[in-house]
Amino acid sequence: MVTIKDVARHAGVSVTTVSRVLNNSQHPISPATKQRVLAAIEELGFCPNAAARSLQLNETRTIGLILPDIANPYYPGIVRGVEDVAHESGYTVILCNTDRSRERTQEYLRVLREKRVDGVIFTGGGAVEDASQSHFFDQERIATVVIGRHRGKLPAVQVNNTLAAREAVEHLLSLGHRRIATITGPATSTTASDRLDGYRCALAGRGMKVDPLLIVEGNFEFESGYQAIDRLPLRGPRAITAIFAHNDLMAIGAMKALQERGLQVPGDIAVMGFDNIPLASFITPQLSTVAVPVYDLGVTAMKVLAELLAGREVPPVTTLATKLQVRDSTIIK
């Protein structure tokens, strides 16, 4: 096995110089010397020992990214944002998909501890709650950032879900809708809680009472949006005329169920989603939704984490703007 001493001998430099080149040290090294070391590494096929390097520097240059559902088209944009910045900063990302399972979350946290990751990014406050219950934060001092609102003191990168949901429902109200149902995310989700608050605020702003029969809990997946339609009044004097779903997947599931029942979207019932996943603009009718800057959420979270790892202060909360994206599912042409 080729060692760092072999590289130094081949390049005609000291072991310290080779180490400085490998670690991108700020110590001045002439371009010619650096090139000679890199050429020796290439010619000898030298591969640094990552484990030894991490012990020496007390860092592994890896971070953990914990996601609730990689199959949801909302999350790949976040992953891309995190990985783009991580790559530029010399970090490797370990992706952990929990399927919203507390047991899997805690198992991943154990693995990340064992791998001595430098930092962790959580997507969703629920995962942070699971981490707290596993005593992850009590046992380890690992730099951590949360994408989304949570009840702890960790730095967060988020959108204002309450305000965005209120604007979405106000759009439906502005079109004359008064019987507006909402399909929520799971009760344990802070995102769902905030979007439900926005729904309630929009109705209250028009002096309208919330009808609990028009609130149906889903789980952010296609099927729950589809199944929610069986629990809503679709015909008669108390029939709904619009639906605000807490994400696009449930909105699309609801649209499919409505169309199977012979109801037109938006002619009979308008449908509004949330997230603006790529599929939203390809289905028929195109889905009105709230555009969330998912890529920027990932980019910003990784930048905040990099600041933490560098020992610098970061803001407790960074809020990114959303945008109402009105399409055919709410506007009759």
Side-chain angles (χ1 to χ4, degrees):
M1 180 179 295
V2 179
T3 68
I4 192 172
K5 292 181 179 179
D6 296 326
V7 173
R9 189 180 307 109
H10 191 80
V13 299
S14 67
V15 170
T16 300
T17 298
V18 176
S19 177
R20 287 170 177 166
V21 171
L22 290 171
N23 295 320
N24 292 314
S25 170
Q26 298 301 312
H27 190 280
I29 301 173
S30 72
T33 299
K34 183 175 182 179
Q35 186 56 44
R36 204 160 64 248
V37 171
L38 293 175
I41 291 172
E42 179 70 22
E43 291 169 9
L44 296 176
F46 173 68
C47 183
N49 187 321
R53 181 180 183 276
S54 67
L55 289 172
Q56 180 184 12
L57 301 177
N58 197 30
E59 63 177 17
T60 61
R61 306 298 293 182
T62 60
I63 65 128
L65 175 57
I66 297 179
L67 302 171
D69 182 10
I70 193 58
N72 186 323
Y74 172 83
Y75 291 105
I78 288 179
V79 174
R80 183 63 181 268
V82 170
E83 287 199 324
D84 282 354
V85 177
H87 178 74
E88 292 173 1
S89 306
Y91 286 92
T92 298
V93 179
I94 299 175
L95 186 62
C96 307
N97 176 58
T98 68
D99 282 336
R100 304 185 189 278
S101 161
R102 176 168 295 170
E103 291 73 21
R104 288 189 66 172
T105 298
Q106 294 181 353
E107 175 64 15
Y108 273 128
L109 292 173
R110 182 188 63 78
V111 171
L112 293 176
R113 271 198 300 263
E114 290 177 354
K115 292 189 176 297
R116 301 171 57 88
V117 296
D118 298 330
V120 174
I121 296 176
F122 288 93
T123 56
V128 178
E129 297 297 324
D130 292 342
S132 298
Q133 292 186 15
S134 69
H135 307 293
F136 178 76
F137 301 116
D138 298 334
Q139 297 171 3
E140 305 292 334
R141 292 186 176 181
I142 298 177
T144 305
V145 175
V146 180
I147 297 178
R149 185 178 68 81
H150 65 100
R151 300 179 180 89
K153 298 180 180 180
L154 298 169
V157 179
Q158 61 189 34
V159 298
N160 189 329
N161 280 294
T162 301
L163 176 61
R166 178 172 184 169
E167 291 174 345
V169 178
E170 285 175 345
H171 165 66
L172 296 172
L173 290 167
S174 73
L175 297 174
H177 297 286
R178 294 298 179 267
R179 294 285 290 170
I180 304 172
T182 186
I183 305 173
T184 76
T188 55
S189 166
T190 55
T191 295
S193 174
D194 289 348
R195 292 178 187 177
L196 183 57
D197 285 346
Y199 167 82
R200 289 176 170 140
C201 287
L203 296 182
R206 294 294 185 97
M208 299 169 59
K209 292 184 178 180
V210 175
D211 184 346
L213 296 179
L214 302 189
I215 301 175
V216 178
E217 183 176 336
N219 62 6
F220 289 135
E221 297 179 4
F222 283 114
E223 291 76 9
S224 66
Y226 182 90
Q227 294 165 2
I229 296 305
D230 288 332
R231 299 164 60 188
L232 292 170
L234 303 180
R235 293 181 171 84
R238 304 293 290 170
I240 62 172
T241 62
I243 295 172
F244 166 56
H246 282 199
N247 78 342
D248 292 342
L249 291 184
M250 294 191 297
I252 294 169
M255 286 172 60
K256 178 175 175 57
L258 291 171
Q259 290 164 352
E260 288 181 356
R261 286 159 178 75
L263 295 169
Q264 299 296 313
V265 177
D268 296 312
I269 297 177
V271 178
M272 167 71 68
F274 204 114
D275 289 342
N276 197 32
I277 62 175
L279 183 60
S281 62
F282 286 96
I283 60 172
T284 302
Q286 292 184 337
L287 180 65
S288 292
T289 184
V290 175
V292 177
V294 289
Y295 178 78
D296 291 338
L297 284 172
V299 165
T300 305
M302 186 60 216
K303 286 182 176 179
V304 171
L305 183 59
E307 290 292 295
L308 282 176
L309 293 171
R312 291 188 280 269
E313 293 290 328
V314 299
V317 178
T318 303
T319 303
L320 305 187
T322 59
K323 182 180 179 181
L324 196 63
Q325 184 71 59
V326 177
R327 298 192 180 102
D328 298 342
S329 68
T330 58
I331 300 294
I332 301 176
K333 295 184 177 179

